[in-house]
Amino acid sequence: MLGSTHGTFTTDLRARVVACGEEPARTAVHGVTAVEGDTDVSGRPLHAPVPELDRFFRPEVVAVVGASDTEGRPNTGITRQLIDWAGRVGARVVPVHPTRTSVFGIDCVASVTELGALGVGVDLAVLLVADPLPVIEQLAEAKVRFAVAFASGFAETGEAGAAAQERLAAAVGRSGLRLLGPNTNLNAFERFREDLEGPAIALITQSGHQGRPVFTMQELGVRLSHWAPTGNEADLETADFLSYFAHRPEVGAIACYVEGLKDGRSFLLAADQAARRGVPVVAVKVGRTEAGARMAASHTGKLTGADQVVDAAMRQFGVIRVDGLDQLQDTAALLARARRPLADGVVVYSISGGTGAHFSDLATAAGLSLPTLSEEKQDELHQWIPPYLSVANPVDNGGHPVGDWRGRKIIDAILADPEVGVLICPITGPFPPMSDKLAQDLVDAAEASDKLVCVVWGSPVGTEDAYRTTLLGSSRVATFRTFGNCIGAVKAYLDHHRFTTGYRSPFDEAPRTPSPSFRKAQALMRPGHRLSEHAAKQLLRAYGIRVPREQLVTSAAAAVRAAGLVGYPVVMKASGAQLAHKTELGLVKVGLTSASQIRDTYRELTDIARFEGIDLDGILVCQMVPRGVEMVVGVTRDPLFGPTVTVGLGGVLVEVLNDAAVRVPPFGEREARDMLDELRGRALLDGVRGAPAADVDALVEVVLRVQRMALELDGELAELDINPLMVLPRGQGAVALDALAVCR
């Protein structure tokens, strides 16, 4: 009935969107340097080399340019710290000063140009000069591998500073060395505790001060291995350190404080490296409110803000985004140290029924699974807990046993349950000796178990021995100070391992060469112009996306003939490149059933257009499509990540509902289905109030085809909006009833 391109689905929808007859890929490369031919169809790299940064963090020879030992000068304190750090990592220090023979008793060289004559390679040059630009070429001639520029006054200060930073970056690019900074600090050369064991946190911050809470966790027994203060990122950026740390065997988790990403694709390639290796990445990304509402012709553009794109991109690659520095430190510490979960079930164990109920409410609301313990397990626990107390989950012990062995038996019995992967014990305040014995039993049980044991120590004092010595002295118990941070970290822990278990890198399967649809679509593009609905639908047809039967006519008589061919009842719509949203102007008429209605409607639509001053390319006479679920699918361009794909609830209320999910290509079928699961109105697709379930497979196929279009037409398509996409009952497909396309 509907005249469609929709055929029988294959098991894997991916096969429907990877076409044959491929042509050579275009060569434009965005952001990251890639191997020749190793780019996707949009010209973006699919792999990035992991930078070799060993000699940055563990150099053999360090040159300090501008070294000083004159008391009271800023360079003196920095020089002293660098000498101390070099001693700890086993590096030789070479001070560089034009008039000194020595600094702090160490022989100097007069200039950077003399470094090459030392007879040893200089791994790292630390530049204590106001303008690092003149030094860069000299460092390159001396074959220095890395440099650090502390100087400020660059991109952080405005247009003039940004121009200076561009010149610096260009010089670094020509030199072949790698630069950290400018506008960075000494955090990379801090004193790290070497007496701590276990997996470590590697820290990346664009603002040095914002990393202090994570660095200070060493005093709580949490190991830190590296700190990369990236500053303005003229060269080395967050992504470089992220991919490097992901390959370090001692790194259990990576914590990031990010103010702005330098290049979206390079960040995703680095996050992909971490995801492939199962290394958790936890990030604070500031700037949630900067984007505001963007001006765009399409509904899709109005639904998708810049921060929403960042959020989605991070989730796609398993980056755990948190808001506060306290969340950053707690979540990173847990993920670095905890073993892979054996089950998803969480049990709350408490000495107070009120505490257990409160915590359980919060945990359930956050999406944690708190399974009811089996009758057999409850009977076992009631051997040691009075029968009038509930032990179904949460487990209320009424007061942890102090004088005998029962407390440990209770905890061991809970951890032995195969459905339990995490035990959480909220202790809202110290209550010695009960809380002391409880803390010790929890530590002993955790040391003997492969399952995660968490404690929330709610005392505002935090000086108690049970907390400072017993709990913090154990690397097997994750200790928190707030309910919220504990719940967030545990959820991140379970989500991360669920994500990595089924992770398949989308870069491995991204299209590398254009499909046959590309040439057809290219012929329809009009650079700098918006396409009419009729032309936009032809674009969809080129990519196999189903549209109604329709004809474009320029007279009433032709409209009547078209209606006979399309089949009554019909829809009539004005079509023109200026028309973004026709319904508001009364330029859409539905349910027309006779030739007289067709003629009258043709005159009405053309009169409205004439009155509004709208140029038309004609009137569309369209097939009436049965009712289904109205969705919107579209493409917008993000300045950081490039093309993005959005799906949401559509129709005339699309912007009122504001229910949409976004992804950054490339992504696969699983991500497309996950997009639908994020929608608040997801239940509409499953059928509500007697309505049949919608054809979700067809909707997913449209999303994947739109993604292919977004990648192949990246240089030519600014926006695409399919609204509504009518998703028909299961097995009947999806039809694009209206479309808008804006060419670049």
Side-chain angles (χ1 to χ4, degrees):
M1 158 183 159
L2 293 174
S4 129
T5 61
H6 178 71
T8 304
F9 283 98
T10 60
T11 303
D12 186 353
L13 295 180
R14 229 174 267 105
R16 299 290 304 276
V17 296
V18 178
C20 302
E22 297 176 331
E23 307 171 325
R26 289 165 288 168
T27 57
V29 176
H30 300 253
V32 186
T33 301
V35 178
E36 182 68 27
D38 196 19
T39 60
D40 69 15
V41 72
S42 73
R44 288 178 171 81
L46 294 171
H47 298 93
V50 178
E52 176 52 69
L53 297 173
D54 289 352
R55 288 300 184 204
F56 175 85
F57 288 104
R58 291 278 177 174
E60 292 184 354
V61 180
V62 180
V64 182
V65 182
S68 172
D69 58 5
T70 302
E71 290 303 324
R73 296 196 60 183
N75 283 11
T76 299
I78 297 174
T79 304
R80 184 182 289 114
Q81 180 172 340
L82 289 168
I83 291 171
D84 291 344
W85 170 76
R88 293 194 299 273
V89 300
R92 172 189 170 189
V93 173
V94 180
V96 180
H97 195 285
T99 61
R100 300 285 187 89
T101 57
S102 68
V103 170
F104 287 115
I106 304 172
D107 290 343
C108 285
V109 297
S111 68
V112 170
T113 56
E114 295 182 21
L115 291 175
L118 290 176
V120 294
V122 176
D123 297 307
L124 175 65
V126 181
L127 310 182
L128 308 184
V129 294
D131 184 5
L133 180 59
V135 184
I136 296 299
E137 290 186 3
Q138 298 173 13
L139 291 173
E141 291 175 5
K143 301 190 183 321
V144 176
R145 301 174 66 176
F146 296 98
V148 179
F150 295 136
S152 58
F154 289 90
E156 78 278 7
T157 62
E159 291 185 10
Q165 184 165 312
E166 287 182 9
R167 292 192 294 272
L168 178 64
V172 170
R174 294 189 300 269
S175 73
L177 63 77
R178 303 304 307 270
L179 175 74
L180 180 70
N183 194 32
T184 186
N185 53 47
L186 287 163
N187 295 148
F189 314 117
E190 296 276 2
R191 179 183 292 274
F192 296 89
R193 284 185 58 176
E194 298 180 355
D195 59 326
L196 300 175
E197 298 180 350
I201 296 173
L203 180 60
I204 306 169
T205 62
Q206 284 180 293
S207 168
H209 190 64
Q210 294 293 84
R212 283 287 157 197
V214 176
F215 182 77
T216 308
M217 291 190 77
Q218 294 178 105
E219 300 310 309
L220 302 180
V222 178
R223 183 183 173 199
L224 200 77
S225 61
H226 305 80
W227 188 349
T230 60
N232 285 14
E233 300 190 352
D235 176 35
L236 286 169
E237 58 180 302
T238 296
D240 292 312
F241 292 101
L242 182 56
S243 57
Y244 172 75
F245 292 150
H247 288 79
R248 296 294 306 171
E250 71 273 26
V251 172
I254 303 168
C256 308
Y257 174 83
V258 181
E259 293 177 350
L261 294 173
K262 184 177 176 182
D263 177 79
R265 176 54 69 96
S266 64
F267 178 80
L268 297 186
L269 288 169
D272 176 64
Q273 294 278 355
R276 290 174 191 256
R277 300 178 65 82
V279 179
V281 180
V282 188
V284 170
K285 168 63 176 70
V286 299
R288 285 189 182 274
T289 60
E290 288 178 1
R294 73 172 66 175
M295 296 299 293
S298 68
H299 295 294
T300 308
K302 295 171 185 174
L303 290 174
T304 306
D307 189 70
Q308 186 184 5
V309 175
V310 171
D311 207 49
M314 286 185 168
R315 280 201 312 278
Q316 279 176 245
F317 291 88
V319 177
I320 299 148
R321 189 175 182 185
V322 296
D323 291 324
L325 298 178
D326 57 332
Q327 296 169 311
L328 180 66
Q329 64 190 43
D330 283 350
T331 304
L334 172 63
L335 286 164
R337 302 166 79 178
R339 302 171 187 177
R340 180 171 289 276
L342 300 177
D344 285 346
V346 176
V347 167
V348 178
Y349 177 61
S350 174
I351 62 176
S352 161
T355 301
H358 182 201
F359 192 95
S360 298
D361 281 349
L362 296 173
T364 302
L368 294 180
S369 172
L370 273 65
T372 300
L373 298 179
S374 67
E375 292 294 333
E376 294 78 10
K377 181 59 65 176
Q378 292 185 51
D379 289 342
E380 182 183 2
L381 293 173
H382 276 309
Q383 296 178 70
W384 311 296
I385 296 174
Y388 56 83
L389 295 174
S390 173
V391 294
N393 192 14
V395 175
D396 178 9
N397 61 30
H400 188 75
V402 173
D404 55 37
W405 41 262
R406 288 175 298 155
R408 174 68 187 278
K409 285 280 190 182
I410 295 168
I411 298 169
D412 287 342
I414 295 171
L415 291 173
D417 191 311
E419 291 189 31
V420 176
V422 183
L423 184 149
I424 302 176
C425 183
I427 304 173
T428 54
F431 192 59
M434 185 189 301
S435 54
D436 295 5
K437 183 65 165 65
L438 173 57
Q440 189 61 59
D441 284 345
L442 289 164
V443 167
D444 292 343
E447 299 287 350
S449 174
D450 287 333
K451 296 184 178 180
L452 176 62
V453 175
C454 299
V455 176
V456 182
W457 189 262
S459 166
V461 179
T463 58
E464 301 85 357
D465 283 344
Y467 170 65
R468 299 293 303 184
T469 303
T470 306
L471 294 173
L472 295 183
S474 170
S475 63
R476 295 290 300 125
V477 173
T479 305
F480 301 86
R481 301 303 302 275
T482 67
F483 283 13
N485 280 15
C486 176
I487 291 168
V490 170
K491 186 172 190 313
Y493 160 72
L494 295 172
D495 287 348
H496 167 74
H497 288 288
R498 203 176 294 121
F499 171 84
T500 55
T501 297
Y503 183 72
R504 293 171 61 183
S505 173
F507 296 119
D508 290 345
E509 300 177 5
R512 287 169 165 78
T513 55
S515 68
S517 301
F518 172 61
R519 287 207 182 279
K520 299 177 188 176
Q522 248 192 339
L524 298 168
M525 305 304 287
R526 299 289 179 266
H529 292 82
R530 183 186 301 164
L531 300 183
S532 68
E533 177 184 341
H534 184 58
K537 284 179 174 176
Q538 289 179 300
L539 188 63
L540 300 185
R541 279 185 188 273
Y543 278 90
I545 297 169
R546 183 180 173 188
V547 300
R549 293 192 304 272
E550 65 183 35
Q551 290 195 21
L552 182 69
V553 299
T554 56
S555 70
V560 172
R561 290 193 299 271
L565 293 172
V566 168
Y568 289 100
V570 298
V571 177
M572 292 182 68
K573 298 191 278 186
S575 178
Q578 294 175 268
L579 284 171
H581 309 303
K582 297 174 282 291
T583 305
E584 293 90 332
L585 296 174
L587 293 174
V588 179
K589 303 295 180 183
V590 301
L592 306 176
T593 58
S594 68
S596 62
Q597 285 183 317
I598 297 294
R599 283 189 289 268
D600 291 344
T601 300
Y602 184 90
R603 285 191 294 270
E604 181 182 356
L605 295 179
T606 53
D607 285 347
I608 292 173
R610 191 178 302 112
F611 177 79
E612 296 288 344
I614 298 170
D615 292 330
L616 300 181
D617 57 5
I619 301 295
L620 285 172
V621 181
C622 309
Q623 166 197 14
M624 278 279 289
V625 174
R627 294 292 303 172
V629 180
E630 292 186 340
M631 302 293 291
V632 59
V633 180
V635 175
T636 56
R637 292 198 86 263
D638 182 82
L640 188 63
F641 293 99
T644 66
V645 176
T646 300
V647 63
L649 294 184
V652 295
L653 297 178
V654 58
E655 291 168 29
V656 175
L657 297 172
N658 195 26
D659 189 7
V662 64
R663 290 293 186 274
V664 176
F667 58 86
E669 180 183 333
R670 186 177 101 167
E671 282 294 334
R673 294 187 184 277
D674 286 347
M675 292 172 78
L676 303 183
D677 291 339
E678 290 176 16
L679 303 177
R680 298 189 302 276
R682 174 66 173 83
L684 292 173
L685 294 168
D686 298 325
V688 295
R689 293 183 176 267
D695 198 335
V696 172
D697 284 348
L699 174 56
V700 170
E701 182 178 6
V702 170
V703 171
L704 293 176
R705 289 181 182 273
V706 166
Q707 176 192 211
R708 183 75 186 230
M709 185 190 309
L711 286 170
E712 293 188 351
L713 298 176
D714 176 36
E716 299 163 81
L717 183 66
E719 293 183 48
L720 174 72
D721 200 49
I722 306 173
N723 182 45
L725 175 75
M726 190 67 76
V727 185
L728 301 174
R730 184 176 295 154
Q732 297 182 32
V735 188
L737 301 189
D738 200 351
L740 179 150
V742 180
C743 303
R744 295 181 68 185

